Amino acid sequence: MKILVTDSINTCVKDILAEVGEVDFLPSMNEDELMKIIENYDALMVRSQTKVTKNIIEKSKLKIIGRAGVGVDNIDLEAATQKGIIVTNSPDGNTIAAAEHTLALIFALTRNIVPANNSIILDKKWDRSSFVGRELYGKTLGIVGFGRIGKHVGKVATTLGMSLCVFDPYSSKEIVESHQGRFYEDLESFLKVCDYFTFHVPKTKETTHMINKDTLKIMKKGAFIINASRGGIIDEVALKEAIMSNHIGGAALDVYENEPDVANFPLCDCKNVVLTPHLGASTQEAQTNVAIDVAEQIKSVLNGGYAESAINIPSLKIEKLEPVKNYMLLAQNAGNFIAQIMTEKINTITIIAQGLLAQKNLEPLEIAILKGILDHKIENVNFVNAPLFAKQYGINYTTLQSSAPCNFPNLLSIQAKGATQEHSISVGIIAGIPKILKINQYDTSFNLQKHTLLIPHKNQPSMIAKIAQILGDEHQININHMSVTQGENGMSLMMLDIGESLNYEILNNIAQIDGIKDPKYICLNSLPNIKE
């Protein structure tokens, strides 16, 4: 075995990897440089600098790609999955580092550390009166996202004498109260009560600009905002305006919407802010921990074992995975699709297999569906931890192997229920093409696509023309494919493959058309054609 380690990863991994193969340490490389040598290696270990592209993956004979860190944006997961290459990371290795950096930002902001330092070092002044801070004791800390990092921040904050409030639709009252916190289901009520806000959530459609001009107005006057999770969660222009107007007391950011374009950060010339260059995971200990963790997983896989934090391929025995492997990505995307249709928390799902699929072990497909559902809401979900996350967030699931007659060789259906909503989707692979075969009451045969518009509407003339006018004439968005299916009660369903992401202002324009009922824009990972 040969293992390539790049991106200046700590050499402490050498002894671990040397137990299973020959290890080469090389500097970061671009695509052309890496393609010249990648076919010589069985495993690749990187950080964020090296981009592991589809071209690199297709030319390789890799068995595993290890990312020494959390994010895997620099690795083409789809290409790796299609070639059967495990991609793994280290989701826990930087928990303490990220939590401590969050706390450091809170302290720096509260006690005016940065401007006080600059006053002495740069201005040569001794000016105590200009930098009077305040105490954290007795203040209320609001945590958005109560995962590993959020919990650790909360633990330290309570020991400092702070009160703890949590907003996380995927946590629970019981979990939060066990950490001495108060659980909020309503964002507006949560925003009104906190003195500090810290964010520990992924960037999704729901969290993008969740802190904006409107939500900032709801916050207490003088509140402080800290973000060391993902850029784009906060509308930085709106935040600057709120600070300049003295409604928000200040902000500390480690992540930005357009990093690393420092010249265009809106808050750079704003007072009462602390800005750091994405240092959340930048500690010696964290970088060592993630390197060792990933090295151990690479060693395990090359020895014929499993990767505990596999991102794209489940740690399941081959005899379970092999019979249903062609349906894994389809099942994952079907779960993600129905999660985006639902506008409230999913409480229960029922998975139904028909045809020849009903005769197979469905455990891998269960996990793929859960991962797809959770991917829409939670960061760092993989095939290993998806069942655990589902349990933690109160999603109950049942799988049925049905012998009922079926019009297709294989049919996989998901029924999802929330407190007030219920939706269903059925999918299958027809002539090697992943298709949606039914959504709720509507039978269809629509190729599963990356960008899909779902438009329920009254079955009346000119509906297609009105939608086409908004998309094509007003916004130059091409319709690649259209399917219209009649349902019950005079309603029909229009499904459009638009081939590109959709601005939600456009979706709102479509929703205003008379006869349109609750249109949805669905964004999925693209699927290749698959032969059964």
Side-chain angles (χ1 to χ4, degrees), residues 44-61:
L44 173 63
M45 188 173 179
V46 300
R47 291 181 64 193
S48 59
Q49 293 93 328
T50 295
K51 310 301 180 186
V52 188
T53 64
K54 180 178 181 180
N55 290 335
I56 292 168
I57 288 169
E58 288 182 346
K59 191 168 183 179
S60 77
K61 61 172 185 177

Side-chain angles (χ1 to χ4, degrees), residues 323-340:
V324 295
K325 66 179 183 180
N326 286 344
Y327 273 77
M328 289 294 289
L329 287 176
L330 176 58
Q332 180 179 332
N333 276 270
N336 196 267
F337 197 105
I338 202 164
Q340 294 184 60

Side-chain angles (χ1 to χ4, degrees), residues 35 55-56 139 147 167 280 339 351:
M35 283 185 66
N55 290 335
I56 292 168
K139 303 301 189 299
F167 176 76
I351 302 166

Side-chain angles (χ1 to χ4, degrees), residues 186-198:
D186 175 59
L187 178 61
E188 183 172 344
S189 299
F190 168 79
L191 293 176
K192 291 179 178 179
V193 300
C194 300
D195 301 299
Y196 291 79
F197 294 94
T198 178

